[in-house]
Amino acid sequence: MPTTVTMQMALVKSCNASDCAYYKQGNECHAMAITVGGPQPYCDTFFRSSNKGGAEQTGTVGACKVDNCRHNLNFECSAEGIDVIAQQNNAVCSTFKQR
Ligand code: SF4
Ligand code: SF4
């Protein structure tokens, strides 16, 4: 049986990827739950669209595949929150800390 833990979903405290479909003014992410992909700590949910979408809530991290991050616990994010920064063609989790 895999080990399971009870934890709160990490909030996306800020994201400045203003061309993402889930971005809302004020550096807010409104995707209900993003996936952060491995091996690089990129937001996999990022996609460019002039049509804005998402939910009426602050985004959270639904899953994270970056297992060499200190905050990663069983492929989930155990940080209280994360910050995401636009970088060329990706949006990067800047809360990433190498194990
Ligand atoms: S890049 Fe990721 S964190 Fe940023 S607004 Fe888009 S879905 Fe949210
Ligand atoms: S802080 Fe680490 S575990 Fe959390 S989303 Fe970013 S890369 Fe994944």
Side-chain angles (χ1 to χ4, degrees), residues 22-90:
Y22 296 104
Y23 174 90
K24 290 216 171 126
Q25 203 173 10
N27 285 0
E28 292 181 11
C29 170
H30 281 253
M32 286 181 78
I34 69 166
T35 297
V36 179
Q40 304 297 329
Y42 297 150
C43 175
D44 269 356
T45 309
F46 168 71
F47 83 105
R48 287 196 175 89
S49 175
S50 52
N51 294 326
K52 298 294 180 192
E56 287 303 317
Q57 65 177 66
T58 303
T60 61
V61 183
C64 177
K65 297 178 269 182
V66 186
D67 63 353
N68 66 339
C69 175
R70 277 191 222 171
H71 298 294
N72 195 292
L73 199 60
N74 301 334
F75 302 112
E76 298 290 355
C77 179
S78 68
E80 207 172 288
I82 69 164
D83 296 300
V84 178
I85 294 174
Q87 194 184 80
Q88 294 172 334
N89 289 321
N90 293 298

